[in-house]
Amino acid sequence: MLTLEQAGMIRGGRAILSDIDCTLERGAVTVFVGPNGAGKSTLVRLASGELKPTSGAVSLDGHPLADFGPRELAARRAMLAQANDAAPGFTVAELAALGLRLLPSPPGAVGIAALVERALDHVGLTPVAGRSIAHLSGGERQRAHLARVLAQLWAGEARHGPGLLLLDEPIAAQDLAHQLRLLEIAKAHARSGGAVGLVLHDLNWAARVADRIVVLRQGQVYADGPAATVLTRSMLADVFDVDLEPGAVPPAGRPFVLPQLARVRAVLSRHDEGDCHVYRHEPLQGAA
Amino acid sequence: MTAARALAPAHPALAVRRPGRGLLLAGLAVGLFIAMLLSIDIGATAAGLGDLPGLLHSRWTGAALDAGQQVDWLVLLDIRLPRAVLGLLVGGALGAAGAVMQGLFRNPLADPGLIGVSAGAALATALVIVLGDGALAALVTPLGRWAQPLAGLAGSFVGALLLYGLATRRGATSIAIVLLGGIALSAFAGALTGVLVFVANDRELRDLTFWTLGSLSGASWPGIAALLPFVAIGGLCLPLLATTLNAFLLGEADAYHMGAPVERAKRLALLATACLVGATVSAVGIIGFIGVLVPNLLRLVIGPDHRVLLPASAMLGAALLLLSDTAARTIAAPAEMPVGVVTALVGAPCFFWLLLRESRAVG
């Protein structure tokens, strides 16, 4: 769906990315991993069109990204950035609706309400829909922004088919259950025919969710392929400067938890008001 | 509407628009209308709205007006009405321009008066007043009465552009630099204006003083006609900007991801504020605090949605300026206080209160 060809990015005289060849396919989750400063965020920002490559080309469905206006692009791809501002004063529902009104053919009031309801349900924020963004925790705020991104993605889907979903470290501020929940949303989008590009730090989550892992090192693609071929001892040594054998199990008495095996239980979420809200929970696929 | 209501989400908090917005806008419109009537009714002479039916009746029937009636007619239709219309345009422009600037700079303290945009307009207008028949005659004379508003527009546009360029790096605008740069810009423009005062002759000095005080007393129909196109252009930009400014609240990158044409919107917002601020400053001088106070007070009530905030700011700004002007010319009647003094007297304490609220919220 989205192709980067020999894409490079030079900023302040320093090459942040160089010679990136990479395709985000429909139906697949592509995960970008790499140490800090490897260029992961810059890469997804190139893919989103926010940054223009200083060399090479980026194209969406065969057309150069630069040919799309910002509105047309917003109907075909949605992106959750790494840092999300508080946007003081908006309620959660208002924030979730924010990305819908700038689309080339914005949905009507009824459509907006439906999309927002569905998006908040997906990220588990329905009970706090009327609360001000400023009063949420960091993790909740990030999920509120994700709801905005999902609503935008689905609104565009009605016209252009499943679009491109780009998420830059979407689970960094989330607890285990929400990490699982959010990544299952990304997987579900890929299964429905969209393309997904994810930046993740946690290699276990990457291994669980990725159809393909792209390893970046110093602005270049070090490896690109399914988790089984990419997650090797030599990669961990070369890229992350860590000596570790993938699949090695710690000795007895040293507990570990692997997200690869996690499943969400039926969720009961309690909130400050004292009353309990149950949010619907679609049965999730088990471990990948 | 009924369909929307029928399909409204079961959870009331899911509402993506707040209720009562229409009511608030209607209330503001009524308040503005009353402020308008008051400013026509009250003044240094006894003439008031109550005289209007009689006057209109006499005019309609062709009966001759006696001397007193002629004065009343003049006071109401050639002095107070243009003054009320000018107050409406200027107050509305200042309120809306403040809201746009705050949205553009993503900071509630951005105000054309505080960040030097008004000072730029003031300097450019002073240049036209003082040098208009001297050094700049070749440029100014052909423009006629358009020279002053055009100069104000250019001055505020340059000021806004300068600050934006100075404070924005990689899509992030540093409000500290905006405010500090605004101080520098205001001081610089003020100093240059001072130089102009120094070289001005008596007539120019009178024009200059009259105008730097920030007063609506120069209101006239031709002056309003020269101002109107600029306020209209600025006003027409507002509906185009509202949704984009909402997206801007999340930062330029997120705004772009949501489909906002970021660069175009910034240029449009700068153009709109330059039109609104530049033209009004050139007409009435610098009137402070409307632009920063009005949108902030409204945000407390209706939230940050610019689709409501912009029209509400325009209406409340206009009402506030009309009431301030009515007070300014009646407190010490028949003498007149500059309206800028009144808005500052009311506005500065309110501004302090807002800052206190902000610092409490942060602390």
Side-chain angles (χ1 to χ4, degrees):
Chain A
M1 180 171 200
L2 185 111
T3 312
L4 295 106
E5 279 170 287
Q6 287 295 300
M9 186 77 197
I10 296 172
R11 210 179 234 178
R14 200 170 72 90
I16 294 169
L17 288 175
S18 44
D19 306 330
I20 303 288
D21 281 304
C22 172
T23 304
L24 297 177
E25 307 278 2
R26 284 184 188 279
V29 175
T30 307
V31 175
F32 299 98
V33 300
N36 294 336
K40 305 182 293 291
S41 288
T42 308
L43 199 155
V44 286
R45 288 164 77 196
L46 280 184
S48 80
E50 181 195 339
L51 298 177
K52 313 267 176 280
T54 47
S55 60
V58 185
S59 56
L60 181 65
D61 289 334
H63 303 285
L65 212 54
D67 286 2
F68 294 90
R71 281 169 191 247
E72 295 169 319
L73 212 49
R76 292 168 174 84
R77 71 95 184 85
M79 158 137 172
L80 181 71
Q82 196 175 347
N84 290 295
D85 283 336
F90 283 116
T91 67
V92 174
E94 285 170 343
L95 178 75
L98 217 52
L100 300 173
R101 299 203 173 86
L102 283 159
L103 295 173
S105 47
V110 180
I112 287 178
L115 283 166
V116 166
E117 189 171 4
R118 186 174 149 211
L120 290 181
D121 185 50
H122 266 67
V123 301
L125 286 180
T126 307
V128 295
R131 202 177 290 177
S132 165
I133 293 292
H135 298 151
L136 298 185
S137 72
E140 287 175 317
R141 185 178 300 162
Q142 195 182 28
R143 277 186 280 140
H145 279 279
L146 180 62
R148 164 177 68 75
V149 169
L150 289 175
Q152 180 192 330
L153 188 73
W154 295 334
E157 196 167 314
R159 263 181 173 273
H160 304 286
L164 169 64
L165 176 63
L166 298 168
L167 306 173
D168 193 351
E169 293 193 34
I171 59 169
Q174 304 300 329
D175 58 46
L176 194 55
H178 283 111
Q179 291 184 327
L180 181 55
R181 196 181 179 89
L182 299 195
L183 291 179
E184 287 301 333
I185 292 171
K187 254 194 122 55
H189 179 67
R191 272 199 301 273
S192 74
V196 178
L198 277 175
V199 174
L200 292 178
H201 263 301
D202 188 319
L203 296 176
N204 282 317
W205 277 120
R208 166 161 180 171
V209 76
D211 295 300
R212 221 176 88 219
I213 295 181
V214 176
V215 183
L216 291 177
R217 186 182 67 159
Q218 290 170 7
Q220 292 183 306
V221 176
Y222 174 90
D224 181 350
T229 64
V230 166
L231 288 181
T232 60
R233 182 168 198 156
S234 62
M235 186 280 281
L236 291 172
D238 288 351
V239 177
F240 291 95
D241 290 328
V242 169
D243 185 22
L244 181 63
E245 180 66 41
V249 176
R254 300 273 296 277
F256 56 95
V257 280
L258 289 177
Q260 277 88 337
L261 302 173
R263 291 159 188 273
V264 170
R265 299 168 56 227
V267 183
L268 260 184
S269 87
R270 267 189 305 109
H271 282 277
D272 305 347
E273 288 87 2
D275 50 343
C276 282
H277 300 272
V278 182
Y279 54 77
R280 266 186 290 125
H281 166 64
E282 295 146 36
L284 294 167
Q285 306 278 315
Chain B
M1 194 63 214
T2 35
R5 197 157 284 164
L7 283 169
H11 206 297
L14 274 171
V16 291
R17 306 169 72 108
R18 292 178 205 195
R21 287 179 169 186
L23 205 66
L24 181 105
L25 287 178
L28 281 173
V30 171
L32 176 57
F33 186 67
I34 293 172
M36 191 95 184
L37 290 182
L38 277 177
S39 83
I40 298 172
D41 188 50
I42 301 173
T45 68
L49 279 179
D51 303 320
L52 207 53
L55 287 170
L56 286 175
H57 183 255
S58 302
R59 281 262 150 159
W60 184 254
T61 55
L65 299 175
D66 62 39
Q69 277 183 312
Q70 275 179 3
V71 171
D72 286 352
W73 179 260
L74 203 69
V75 165
L76 288 177
L77 274 95
D78 281 338
I79 296 178
R80 291 210 200 134
L81 187 60
R83 189 166 182 149
V85 171
L86 185 66
L88 179 84
L89 290 176
V90 170
L94 289 176
V100 171
M101 285 234 125
Q102 286 146 31
L104 180 66
F105 285 111
R106 299 177 56 212
N107 191 288
L109 300 184
D111 168 70
L114 285 178
I115 64 174
V117 174
S118 305
L123 173 62
T125 313
L127 276 172
V128 168
I129 292 177
V130 176
L131 302 180
D133 47 9
L136 296 177
L139 203 63
V140 170
T141 315
L143 292 173
R145 62 175 180 177
W146 301 102
Q148 245 177 267
L150 279 174
L153 179 109
S156 59
F157 197 68
V158 169
L161 215 59
L162 210 66
L163 278 177
Y164 202 91
L166 191 71
T168 306
R169 286 283 171 276
R170 290 183 190 168
T173 305
S174 154
I175 194 64
I177 293 183
V178 170
L179 292 173
L180 294 173
I183 292 173
L185 192 63
S186 295
F188 185 65
L192 287 184
T193 312
V195 171
L196 288 173
V197 169
F198 193 69
V199 302
N201 64 30
D202 276 357
R203 188 194 55 75
E204 290 159 359
L205 197 59
R206 217 170 34 245
D207 281 0
L208 210 54
T209 326
F210 182 71
W211 165 85
T212 40
L213 284 174
S215 164
L216 299 179
S217 58
S220 68
W221 291 118
I224 288 171
L227 175 68
L228 197 59
F230 298 97
V231 176
I233 292 172
L236 286 175
C237 293
L238 298 181
L240 301 175
L241 278 170
T243 320
T244 314
L245 286 176
N246 284 347
F248 264 60
L249 288 175
L250 303 190
E252 285 181 25
D254 277 348
Y256 173 77
H257 292 139
M258 286 189 278
V262 174
E263 292 307 319
R264 215 182 64 205
K266 282 199 281 196
R267 283 197 294 272
L268 193 66
L270 287 177
L271 174 75
T273 39
C275 280
L276 294 171
V277 176
T280 53
V281 166
S282 74
V284 302
I286 296 178
I287 296 175
F289 289 102
I290 300 249
V292 67
L293 205 58
V294 164
N296 277 304
L297 289 176
L298 286 168
R299 269 190 207 98
L300 295 180
V301 183
I302 55 175
D305 188 342
H306 287 86
R307 289 170 305 158
V308 191
L309 188 64
L310 293 181
S313 295
M315 286 197 280
L316 188 60
L320 211 62
L321 185 62
L322 285 171
L323 292 177
S324 302
D325 182 55
T326 308
R329 60 196 166 79
T330 47
I331 288 173
E336 233 183 66
M337 269 209 287
V339 69
V341 173
V342 177
T343 58
L345 277 177
V346 178
C350 291
F351 190 61
F352 267 117
W353 175 72
L354 280 172
L355 283 176
L356 205 65
R357 247 185 80 94
E358 190 105 325
S359 70
R360 279 210 196 108
V362 171

